[in-house]
Amino acid sequence: MQRYFISPDQVNDERILITGDDVHHIKNVMRSRPGDQLVCCDGQGRDYLAEIEELTPAAIRCRVIQISPSKGEPKTQVTIAQSLPKGDKLEWILQKGTEIGAVRFLPFTSERTVVKIDSRKTDKKHERWERIVKEAAEQSHRGIIPEVARPVSWKELLEEIKSAKTAWIAYEKGGQPLAKSLAEAASEEILLIIGPEGGFTETEVAEAEAAGAVPVTLGMRILRTETASLAALSCILFQRNDLGGETE
């Protein structure tokens, strides 16, 4: 069943008023009619099974049939701090990372980051990133829309590390095995830091360690930056029983 995110203030007296871009999608793409059902999620962990009552050019009014907790949210809250990659790789990471279960994305620039975003284009880029994440969250039945932060500098990322409960920096030249780090970490909030195509410098790794990050290794094979973030995220959530790792 089609799923749409709404804000809690769009729910009133067992009625939901859908506005914005979703109106076009429901009316013209899905060709929905009164009596059709859909699911609305308030972004705070509640799903509303609703029936369309009225369609207007600017809004769609629905009647709430049932309210239930969202089931698509992992207990482990992983933020992917991703050095800006070339091309459209970040968009791929945002989409697939949302599907897998990341709760936040923090793009950053480091010494070997090739991509430089023109400050005049930052707003447009950020809007696109947020749209990609929203659509991926709807498709994958998430209970929230993951946050996409605006790109930060390396120094700003170091401050994020200092305030993080658990921070890991993926380092191709060695580190603690990811499985060991997972076994030792009690926190359900993890900051996962992934470098650019050229990797981190030794100085950056040392600075990250000084700020509180633990270098981790993802194995003997060298992974592309877009592979590393998604592979590590999958391993973390699987180990924490948030991705099909449940046992009887």
Side-chain angles (χ1 to χ4, degrees):
M1 188 174 295
Q2 201 66 27
R3 186 181 183 86
Y4 300 93
F5 278 96
I6 58 172
S7 63
D9 60 14
Q10 288 176 261
V11 184
N12 185 26
D13 255 353
E14 298 187 351
R15 294 293 188 276
I16 295 174
L17 191 67
I18 300 175
T19 57
D21 294 339
D22 289 334
V23 173
H24 167 76
H25 188 269
I26 294 169
K27 290 176 58 179
N28 302 321
V29 178
M30 299 305 298
R31 298 185 182 278
S32 298
R33 296 290 181 266
D36 291 347
Q37 294 183 356
L38 46 76
V39 175
C40 294
C41 179
D42 66 3
Q44 297 183 351
R46 288 183 296 272
D47 288 351
Y48 298 82
L49 175 63
E51 179 181 286
I52 296 174
E53 288 187 325
E54 181 183 9
L55 298 95
T56 71
I60 295 174
R61 186 164 60 90
C62 305
R63 176 178 63 88
V64 176
I65 298 173
Q66 181 182 350
I67 305 174
S68 59
S70 301
K71 298 179 180 179
E73 286 311 300
K75 294 178 182 178
T76 304
Q77 308 288 289
V78 180
T79 293
I80 296 179
Q82 176 74 52
S83 182
L84 287 168
K86 294 182 290 187
D88 60 358
K89 292 176 182 177
L90 181 60
E91 295 183 3
W92 171 265
I93 293 166
L94 294 174
Q95 183 186 69
K96 302 308 174 187
T98 297
E99 291 177 22
I100 295 169
V103 299
R104 183 175 178 238
F105 298 93
L106 178 60
F108 68 92
T109 56
S110 51
E111 186 173 330
R112 293 173 178 165
T113 301
V114 175
V115 176
K116 306 297 180 186
I117 297 180
D118 188 328
S119 59
R120 295 171 296 179
K121 298 180 180 179
T122 301
D123 287 346
K124 189 174 182 180
K125 281 277 189 182
H126 190 252
E127 287 176 6
R128 176 169 173 78
W129 295 341
E130 288 186 320
R131 186 167 62 251
I132 288 170
V133 165
K134 176 180 180 292
E135 291 173 355
E138 290 173 341
Q139 180 273 320
S140 57
H141 290 196
R142 293 289 302 270
I144 65 165
I145 301 174
E147 176 192 349
V148 185
R150 293 175 180 275
V152 299
S153 67
W154 175 251
K155 287 185 177 180
E156 290 172 318
L157 179 62
L158 291 177
E159 294 302 313
E160 289 268 350
I161 294 173
K162 291 176 183 178
S163 62
K165 293 183 178 179
T166 300
W168 297 333
I169 181 168
Y171 190 39
E172 72 275 9
K173 292 185 179 180
Q176 185 167 268
L178 183 59
K180 187 174 188 298
S181 298
L182 277 164
E184 294 177 351
S187 174
E188 291 185 346
E189 297 179 18
I190 296 171
L191 176 63
L192 174 66
I193 308 161
I194 305 294
E197 286 86 348
F200 290 113
T201 65
E202 292 183 4
T203 298
E204 287 172 333
V205 174
E207 289 175 340
E209 282 191 90
V214 175
V216 297
T217 175
L218 303 180
M220 299 301 293
R221 293 174 294 281
I222 302 299
L223 305 179
R224 292 178 182 272
T225 185
E226 70 272 23
T227 307
S229 55
L230 299 179
L233 174 63
S234 299
C235 289
I236 292 168
L237 295 186
F238 183 85
Q239 182 68 23
R240 290 290 183 87
N241 295 335
D242 275 326
L243 195 70
E246 295 85 358
T247 57
E248 295 295 333

